[in-house]
Amino acid sequence: MIKSFCQSEYLNSAHRMDFYLNQVLHAFSKMDSELLEELLDANQTYQDMLMPVFVSKLAWRFEYMKKRGDAFLIVEKGHCCNLDCNPDLNRTAYRFIGNHTRDHMDFRFALDVSDDGKTYLIKEIFECYYFNFGRNEEAYGDHLILQIYDDDKESFYLSPDEQIHIQIALQALEEMKPTGEYIHIDELITWTYKYRRTFDFIIEYLNVDSFRLLSWYPFFELFEEYDGYLSLFEKWSQLPLVELSRSEEDLSEEELIQVLCDAEKVIDEDGHHYVYHVLKAEEGYRIHCDQSKLIGGNADIFSETFPWLLKMQKPLVKKYYALTESETIQFLDTTDVPDPLASVQMLSFHLEVRERARKQGEIIPFGLGER
């Protein structure tokens, strides 16, 4: 009886010690950022961020998981196996797993006992990259992390110019949030014109200091993507291919090859090789950017004439194909080019391979593309 009573007292005491921790874990499980904000200490930092910033990062991740179909997070306990990471603190760690996607987040909870010894205090929460609990990782989806920038961290120094351009970049992102299935190219032109100064400032900044990752980076990536498409569409609209695709003019094979290679060069120079295996006929060969299809002006010209390129390109690629089956397999596994799959679909690629072989006195037979 005495032994049983002592066990009961110990279990009740342990339960009381864990009460606050369990409340926080429950809020994580519910993906309830508002409850987390109530539970966590506003005067404390979590992962080097003030509590409101940390919770806002979690809120964004929770929304992403909800959109992917997760209704709640399964909480599984493990431990951090990096023994050099805060060795003086409790090594409690948890994996939070989407009930639908099985995508997960791993966090280390640094615990300490309160002054009165009655409860555990959460001294720190931070992402754990050495999470281990002895189970098969293949049973889980993607490992999701919080996107944390240097200026999210407490007491991080920013110059006045950096502060100004970060605010402008965040405003630009808010302004260009996708609101529908399509974005008109005129909207992109206006937006890039309005915010080019901030984009240019960031480029100059990165040339001097590329080691600091600031919260303007999503804007920088989006602007660079938009600007790249506008450049592609403008160059494409000037190609002879545009008028030829709308006419019935017959070209010699030599003339047609030149027209196609000029178009391929534009795609290659602008780094958009992937369009060959991404754009789909059922979507009107529309380029997607920020989850929306680009329409209007030169974007329409591109989507209307790109199929003509594919139509004329395919038989010539088949005729001049310059790799054997084994060479093709080997090339598709290479990391020496940005997009091997796109390269083997480009006529200019095979013509260049044949030209190099000719200069070396080698002969590449025809008909390789038919095997």
Side-chain angles (χ1 to χ4, degrees), residues 153-185:
K153 300 172 184 176
E154 187 188 23
S155 303
F156 184 82
Y157 173 76
L158 291 171
S159 71
D161 282 345
E162 289 167 354
Q163 293 180 41
I164 290 170
H165 285 289
I166 283 174
Q167 291 305 312
I168 293 173
L170 296 177
Q171 174 187 321
L173 279 177
E174 188 68 25
E175 189 175 307
M176 190 46 83
K177 275 187 176 179
T179 56
E181 186 179 357
Y182 300 101
I183 298 178
H184 197 283
I185 194 172

Side-chain angles (χ1 to χ4, degrees), residues 111-261:
L111 305 180
D112 200 1
V113 180
S114 62
D115 292 339
D116 60 10
K118 293 183 178 180
T119 188
Y120 285 123
L121 301 176
I122 300 174
K123 304 299 291 183
E124 174 66 286
I125 302 173
F126 46 89
E127 290 176 293
C128 181
Y129 301 102
Y130 296 90
F131 185 86
N132 180 36
F133 63 151
R135 298 190 186 179
N136 185 1
E137 290 293 328
E138 293 181 0
Y140 301 95
D142 295 335
H143 180 195
L144 306 178
I145 62 173
L146 304 183
Q147 182 59 70
I148 299 170
Y149 300 102
D150 289 333
D151 53 306
D152 289 325
K153 300 172 184 176
E154 187 188 23
S155 303
F156 184 82
Y157 173 76
L158 291 171
S159 71
D161 282 345
E162 289 167 354
Q163 293 180 41
I164 290 170
H165 285 289
I166 283 174
Q167 291 305 312
I168 293 173
L170 296 177
Q171 174 187 321
L173 279 177
E174 188 68 25
E175 189 175 307
M176 190 46 83
K177 275 187 176 179
T179 56
E181 186 179 357
Y182 300 101
I183 298 178
H184 197 283
I185 194 172
D186 289 346
E187 188 177 352
L188 296 192
I189 293 171
T190 302
W191 187 81
T192 54
Y193 178 80
K194 181 178 179 180
Y195 293 108
R196 185 167 298 280
R197 184 182 173 194
T198 290
F199 178 74
D200 291 341
F201 176 89
I202 297 172
I203 289 179
E204 291 180 15
Y205 174 89
L206 292 175
N207 288 334
V208 176
D209 189 348
S210 60
F211 298 101
R212 301 208 309 177
L213 185 63
L214 304 185
S215 55
W216 61 30
Y217 193 69
F219 158 79
F220 177 77
E221 284 191 311
L222 185 62
F223 190 106
E224 195 170 43
E225 187 175 14
Y226 281 156
D227 212 33
Y229 285 134
L230 291 175
S231 172
L232 170 67
F233 296 151
E234 175 62 27
K235 293 176 185 177
W236 188 273
S237 70
Q238 304 301 318
L239 288 170
L241 174 147
V242 173
E243 291 304 319
L244 289 170
S245 67
R246 296 166 175 169
S247 70
E248 299 296 328
E249 182 179 349
D250 289 328
L251 299 176
S252 67
E253 182 175 277
E254 183 178 359
E255 291 172 323
L256 180 58
I257 286 175
Q258 186 60 55
V259 168
L260 297 178
C261 287

Side-chain angles (χ1 to χ4, degrees), residues 316-325 328 344-345 350 354 364-370:
L316 289 172
V317 168
K318 187 176 181 180
K319 177 178 178 179
Y320 290 100
Y321 204 91
L323 302 179
T324 63
E325 184 176 351
T328 300
V344 297
Q345 297 180 69
H350 297 285
R354 288 182 176 275
I364 299 178
F366 288 92
L368 293 176
E370 298 174 359

